[in-house]
Amino acid sequence: MISETENDNPKAEYLRSEANYCPDSAVSSSPESGRLIRRRDTQTTSGSIILEESGSIQPLVSSAAAAACIMTSGEFIQTAPLLAHKSKRSLLYKALCFLLLIFQGGILDFYLIIFTDLYWCSWIATDLVVISGWGIFFMKNARSKRERACGFHQKSSIFGCNLGEFTYAYLAWLIYVIACTPKVVLILETSILDLIALKVPCGVTGFKIIMLLSAPLLFCLINSIIEDLNGATRHRSQSCFMSTCLDLLDSFTLVEMLLRNEIPTVYLKYTVISVYFVTLAVPVIWLYELTASELRCPWLWARFSTGLVVNAPLLVVRCFQVYVYKMPVSVFMFKNIFFLVCKFLELVEQCVAVQGVRRLASSNNPAQFSHCVSENDMCPHGYVNTLAVTQS
């Protein structure tokens, strides 16, 4: 008996010391010292080693200590360097937005003030209003992001993702268009353009560059508020941006012809100017569409109408140039036809899809929507809720 006790005590001491040193390691069972059981708790995700001796159960690792060592996939993805990178990227594009606004507005004010002495204070005040409006927009948008992070104002759309990140963006672009349009029209419709060509460095070429700064400004606006660089929101906004850029380039080629006095009639001249500023205002529509909580048939018709009011007049102008005034055929003429056909096919396809969703919604079949989970639920806690829904 004494020899057995002497032989067993070293084993027990060794097992205790190993359990204290490596609480998470598996220990082989021994009938003399009691059984060590490794068991996964069903209430938590942490594993624990439980020592059963004389009917008592004592965990070697507390659940709080084990939980402190656990990192979920969502927590691993949203690490501090990645968040800092997103913050720096957003701040960079916001700074570029303000620089472009100040540069473009300042140069246009310079053109207007140096050659006229009327209402020059109002032009500077207009730029200050635009810059202040964009500053308010960025603050409102940041507040909206914080509210969505806390679970408020959640929005979903037919694209299956949260599109609330574009909140108030259409208002920022709207006040920019309202402020920029009268300046450019005033320069184009008065003798200021001729004075710019004679007395200002870079002349008309510099004026063209200033007009084209609207495209980089829109690009910076989109990228300053994008949250998910691989999400559906970014792809949709980039698609709309590229379509708007092509329309701006198409209409600007006609504006260049207008500056060279190659537009033969007054009606075509005013058509070109009107279409250019309509194209500049089109982002207001699709920026609001990205903010809307639900895509309905009126929004589909609005999307089709924006393509129609831009490409149809441009196509008419191109046809007049080719068939009436015997000018060379432009490649943008085929672009206008292609965009009109694509917009019509997209309208038909989306209307059929919306009608199909309405039929499913009115069929009183909850099984169709029992497993629909938005991207807002794909956080660490939302992932557990998703598993609970799919297993129920």
Side-chain angles (χ1 to χ4, degrees):
M1 179 65 69
I2 294 173
S3 62
E4 284 185 45
T5 305
E6 291 176 353
N7 292 332
D8 292 341
N9 286 336
K11 292 181 179 180
E13 292 295 333
Y14 173 76
L15 289 172
R16 291 191 187 94
S17 62
E18 185 178 2
N20 292 328
Y21 181 74
C22 297
D24 290 337
S25 62
V27 183
S28 61
S29 62
S30 175
E32 294 87 356
S33 61
R35 292 180 300 167
L36 290 174
I37 302 174
R38 182 185 180 96
R39 185 173 63 185
R40 183 180 299 273
D41 191 359
T42 58
Q43 301 299 325
T44 62
T45 58
S46 61
S48 61
I49 301 177
I50 301 174
L51 178 62
E52 296 182 357
E53 287 185 356
S54 66
S56 63
I57 301 176
Q58 297 179 352
L60 294 178
V61 181
S62 63
S63 60
C69 300
I70 295 173
M71 178 177 287
T72 62
S73 60
E75 294 171 346
F76 178 76
I77 293 174
Q78 297 179 356
T79 54
L82 183 58
L83 292 176
H85 173 70
K86 287 184 177 180
S87 177
K88 291 180 180 178
R89 178 180 178 276
S90 178
L91 289 176
L92 173 63
Y93 280 109
K94 288 177 182 177
L96 288 176
C97 285
F98 286 112
L99 288 176
L100 288 173
L101 284 174
I102 294 172
F103 182 73
Q104 186 184 45
I107 296 298
L108 291 177
D109 290 344
F110 172 76
Y111 290 158
L112 293 170
I113 293 171
I114 196 174
F115 299 117
T116 60
D117 55 356
L118 299 176
Y119 309 110
W120 59 271
C121 290
S122 63
W123 299 120
I124 297 177
T126 302
D127 292 334
L128 293 177
V129 169
V130 173
I131 294 172
S132 301
W134 279 55
I136 294 172
F137 153 69
F138 283 127
M139 289 189 292
K140 290 281 189 181
N141 188 264
R143 180 181 178 182
S144 177
K145 289 181 180 180
R146 290 192 298 268
E147 289 178 349
R148 289 198 313 276
C150 295
F152 299 106
H153 302 290
Q154 298 292 341
K155 295 180 180 180
S156 60
S157 73
I158 196 172
F159 301 107
C161 62
N162 186 359
L163 301 182
E165 57 195 310
F166 279 85
T167 305
Y168 306 113
Y170 68 97
L171 292 177
W173 192 254
L174 179 62
I175 62 174
Y176 164 75
V177 173
I178 293 174
C180 181
T181 299
K183 295 182 181 181
V184 178
V185 171
L186 186 60
I187 294 174
L188 291 175
E189 292 299 314
T190 60
S191 60
I192 296 178
L193 185 62
D194 298 330
L195 297 174
I196 290 173
L198 295 175
K199 300 181 179 181
V200 176
C202 299
V204 179
T205 302
F207 176 68
K208 294 177 184 177
I209 295 173
I210 293 300
M211 289 180 63
L212 287 176
L213 286 180
S214 300
L217 179 62
L218 181 60
F219 178 80
C220 293
L221 172 64
I222 294 172
N223 284 275
S224 64
I225 56 179
I226 285 291
E227 296 176 0
D228 187 4
L229 299 180
N230 296 318
T233 310
R234 181 177 185 272
H235 295 300
R236 173 63 184 164
S237 61
Q238 292 295 330
S239 173
C240 295
F241 170 73
M242 292 305 299
S243 176
T244 301
C245 279
L246 285 176
D247 290 337
L248 279 174
L249 184 62
D250 184 8
S251 58
F252 189 76
T253 55
L254 293 175
V255 172
E256 283 189 313
M257 298 179 65
L258 185 149
L259 296 177
R260 296 193 301 263
N261 296 320
E262 295 179 2
I263 301 296
T265 62
V266 177
Y267 297 105
L268 292 181
K269 176 182 177 180
Y270 287 130
T271 301
V272 169
I273 295 176
S274 301
V275 171
Y276 176 79
F277 290 108
V278 168
T279 306
L280 196 63
V282 162
V284 176
I285 303 297
W286 54 261
L287 284 172
Y288 188 82
E289 178 190 336
L290 290 175
T291 311
S293 60
E294 185 178 356
L295 188 62
R296 299 180 179 180
C297 284
W299 280 114
L300 300 177
W301 281 102
R303 184 191 302 175
F304 174 74
S305 299
T306 56
L308 185 65
V309 298
V310 171
N311 289 283
L314 291 178
L315 181 60
V316 171
V317 174
R318 301 285 183 186
C319 290
F320 266 94
Q321 288 179 335
V322 173
Y323 296 107
V324 177
Y325 300 102
K326 306 302 180 181
M327 293 183 179
V329 178
S330 174
V331 69
F332 287 108
M333 185 175 180
F334 300 100
K335 170 258 176 188
N336 300 139
I337 298 173
F338 177 73
F339 271 36
L340 286 173
V341 173
C342 288
K343 291 293 183 181
F344 177 75
L345 293 177
E346 183 183 7
L347 174 66
V348 174
E349 179 185 359
Q350 293 294 336
C351 284
V352 171
V354 170
Q355 292 297 329
V357 171
R358 286 182 177 177
R359 289 195 207 98
L360 290 176
S362 61
S363 62
N364 296 325
N365 186 8
Q368 298 289 338
F369 306 98
S370 59
H371 301 301
C372 291
V373 180
S374 65
E375 287 186 3
N376 301 326
D377 298 327
M378 296 311 293
C379 57
H381 301 290
Y383 181 71
V384 177
N385 297 333
T386 304
L387 292 178
V389 171
T390 55
Q391 291 176 0
S392 61

